[in-house]
Amino acid sequence: MNRLTLPERKGCFPCILLLLVFLLMQTTVSAQNTTETENGPYKEKTLKTESDGFQWYLVTDEYRCKGALDVNGKVLIPFSGWYKDVHYADGFLYARGEWASSATYACYDKDGRMLISKGKYNRIHFINSEKYFWVERNGKEGACDMTGKEIVAPQYSGIGYDKAKGFFYLHQSNNWVYLNIFLPGDEKTITAPKRSAEINKVWLEQDTEINGHKSLKVYCDLTIEGMNNQLANMEVWIKNSKGKWHKFFGNATSPEGVSYKRQEFVPPYESTYYSELWTVIYNEDLKPGSGTRQYQAIVRITDNDGHVLAENPPVAFTEKTKSETRYRTTPYIPSQNITYNAKRVSPNSTQRNGKSTVNNTVQTSSRSGKQTNTNENLAKHAHERTKKNLDYQHSLTYKRTYDDYEDKLIDMSKGRRQYDDRKRRDYQDSMRRIRQRCEAQGVWIWNTSKWENWNGK
């Protein structure tokens, strides 16, 4: 067995001493990189100086979670939120987290008060000109006031604000609808306009082909007052031969459990005349059973508060089926951008087109086999509407792509996305091509984004 001699054993002591000194230095360096605060340990600390003079520290812990401190070390945003990113904009601190597999944001003021909690909205942006938070959840827009209180639920495709008229949203038919909701301090004494409607005529067209289904098409000739740029509804209710409400498969239900069909529309004028406002109910949605059944259709015009402005007398019709019909799981809902032959009514005019014909009638299009002039006109109008619908749907797809490129440019300018000058030019070229294509087709109805000509950093 080999044994070390005394001189050889003494030669190891300097190595051991150096090793101990090295370990002590590493411990000291580690202690310097991990600083204990009331917020817990953090490993990275970066001073941020904003354009408005506000200074703060962006800090990161050992798990790569972000937080924020003020210049005195006070915690503004804690690590306990497990935030992936923290940034400052428009006088507020924004923290991005992950919630239900999607990015969500929280918002804090400069003193560290949480205004909007994490997990509530997918996007938050402060609108400086009007002093409110624009918020988005699942692709729908809403608004919060400066305290973070939600004042417009995120349920609209696009919202805006006017100090004189309050918040408004973009309806699917490309009309702006006012909500009569104001920011604190901008509240107005609102005098509700006189709302009224007059149904001149209701007629039904049976067995029309809609999306490959036999359908009941319900038309209404009416005049509506005091509802310009506000949401109104055409409702179709069905009664059976015994005069009781028939529970067909509609897209709305009353508090009493009666289903009905509701079609939204937005009158463009203070006094608007419609010659052919219409909606569709699939035959199988009526759940007719087998044999011959007698029904009655009642049309109601309601405002956006649910008040009935007009109602027509029942229109009787007969439905014949050879066997029990299964009804669908989703009712037919006409596209919201259909042009309904709306006309402005002159305030001094006492005579309106179609008012002399007040009978309620039923037309059967396919059973008789006769093509009347009326049906030819209806088919022509339907074809024109279908073409407009397709063009409009294509333009919506283009607009969503256009907006995606715009969002990327905005994120790049705000530092939320790494700046790349080549990508910036590619995004802008794509935006121009989309806009020019839609303009050539006559379906570009939106404003051109200023980010198309952004020069970058």
Side-chain angles (χ1 to χ4, degrees), residues 63-83:
Y63 302 106
R64 310 302 300 171
C65 292
K66 308 292 185 181
L69 308 175
D70 69 7
V71 291
N72 298 317
K74 176 187 173 183
V75 177
L76 301 179
I77 298 180
F79 290 134
S80 58
W82 293 87
Y83 297 119

Side-chain angles (χ1 to χ4, degrees), residues 7-159:
E8 290 174 329
R9 289 199 300 268
K10 286 182 178 179
C12 293
F13 292 150
C15 298
I16 295 173
L17 183 59
L18 288 173
L19 179 61
L20 292 174
V21 171
F22 177 76
L23 292 175
L24 181 60
M25 291 175 63
Q26 289 297 103
T27 304
T28 304
V29 171
S30 177
Q32 289 175 350
N33 289 341
T34 303
T35 305
E36 289 288 339
T37 69
E38 58 180 302
N39 192 35
Y42 59 85
K43 288 195 171 184
E44 296 179 12
K45 181 178 178 182
T46 306
L47 178 64
K48 300 281 188 178
T49 302
E50 307 298 340
S51 59
D52 60 0
F54 177 64
Q55 290 187 317
W56 60 287
Y57 287 102
L58 173 64
V59 291
T60 307
D61 72 359
E62 56 185 332
Y63 302 106
R64 310 302 300 171
C65 292
K66 308 292 185 181
L69 308 175
D70 69 7
V71 291
N72 298 317
K74 176 187 173 183
V75 177
L76 301 179
I77 298 180
F79 290 134
S80 58
W82 293 87
Y83 297 119
K84 304 298 182 184
D85 178 61
V86 173
H87 69 273
Y88 177 87
D90 304 315
F92 299 93
L93 287 163
Y94 297 90
R96 179 177 64 84
E98 301 295 333
W99 188 269
S101 300
S102 64
T104 58
Y105 282 85
C107 181
Y108 296 77
D109 66 11
K110 292 180 180 179
D111 294 323
R113 288 187 293 266
M114 178 184 283
L115 302 178
I116 300 176
S117 60
K118 186 183 72 171
K120 196 172 183 180
Y121 303 112
N122 300 120
R123 295 173 67 191
I124 305 171
H125 177 66
F126 187 67
I127 308 298
N128 255 319
S129 58
E130 304 295 346
K131 306 301 180 186
Y132 72 89
F133 290 101
W134 170 92
V135 296
E136 179 192 278
R137 182 170 63 230
N138 298 328
K140 298 294 184 180
E141 299 180 13
C144 296
D145 65 17
M146 287 190 66
T147 68
K149 178 183 177 182
E150 184 177 281
I151 50 180
V152 178
Q155 58 184 350
Y156 303 108
S157 57
I159 68 162

Side-chain angles (χ1 to χ4, degrees), residues 234-427:
M234 174 186 175
E235 299 177 358
V236 180
W237 300 65
I238 304 293
K239 285 186 175 181
N240 59 23
S241 57
K242 297 180 181 179
K244 296 183 178 180
W245 294 116
H246 178 55
K247 294 185 179 180
F248 71 102
F249 191 64
N251 62 350
T253 305
S254 71
E256 296 75 27
V258 179
S259 58
Y260 60 96
K261 181 62 183 291
R262 180 171 61 198
Q263 175 61 40
E264 298 177 346
F265 65 100
V266 180
Y269 312 116
E270 182 66 26
S271 182
T272 309
Y273 168 71
Y274 289 92
S275 59
E276 287 182 1
L277 189 64
W278 58 272
T279 191
V280 166
I281 301 172
Y282 286 143
N283 284 8
E284 56 261 41
D285 289 345
L286 285 170
K287 301 190 284 187
S290 59
T292 302
R293 304 290 181 103
Q294 298 288 334
Y295 298 100
Q296 295 176 330
I298 295 99
V299 173
R300 292 175 178 172
I301 305 300
T302 62
D303 63 12
N304 53 358
D305 296 320
H307 300 133
V308 179
L309 305 180
E311 180 177 327
N312 78 295
V315 181
F317 66 99
T318 302
E319 188 65 37
K320 294 181 181 180
T321 55
K322 295 181 180 179
S323 60
E324 186 76 19
T325 303
R326 285 188 171 185
Y327 62 94
R328 292 169 50 81
T329 57
T330 54
Y332 171 72
I333 302 177
S335 175
Q336 300 296 310
N337 58 290
I338 295 174
T339 302
Y340 288 114
N341 298 331
K343 298 179 182 178
R344 186 193 300 271
V345 179
S346 172
N348 299 324
S349 175
T350 58
Q351 184 176 2
R352 299 183 176 95
N353 294 334
K355 193 172 182 180
S356 58
T357 307
V358 295
N359 328 9
N360 298 321
T361 61
V362 180
Q363 300 177 6
T364 303
S365 62
S366 61
R367 291 179 181 173
S368 64
K370 298 179 180 179
Q371 297 294 329
T372 63
N373 291 333
T374 301
N375 288 339
E376 289 177 358
N377 290 335
L378 292 175
K380 180 179 178 181
H381 291 158
H383 174 74
E384 292 173 354
R385 290 170 185 150
T386 301
K387 184 178 183 303
K388 289 180 180 178
N389 289 346
L390 291 174
D391 290 343
Y392 186 75
Q393 293 302 323
H394 291 160
S395 70
L396 288 179
T397 303
Y398 286 133
K399 184 61 167 61
R400 282 192 290 269
T401 306
Y402 185 89
D403 289 345
D404 286 341
Y405 287 126
E406 182 185 50
D407 288 343
K408 291 176 181 178
L409 291 171
I410 294 173
D411 289 345
M412 198 180 286
S413 72
K414 297 290 185 181
R416 297 192 291 265
R417 178 185 293 268
Q418 184 176 1
Y419 181 80
D420 186 315
D421 200 61
R422 182 184 60 81
K423 287 185 177 180
R424 172 186 67 82
R425 293 194 299 269
D426 289 344
Y427 295 154

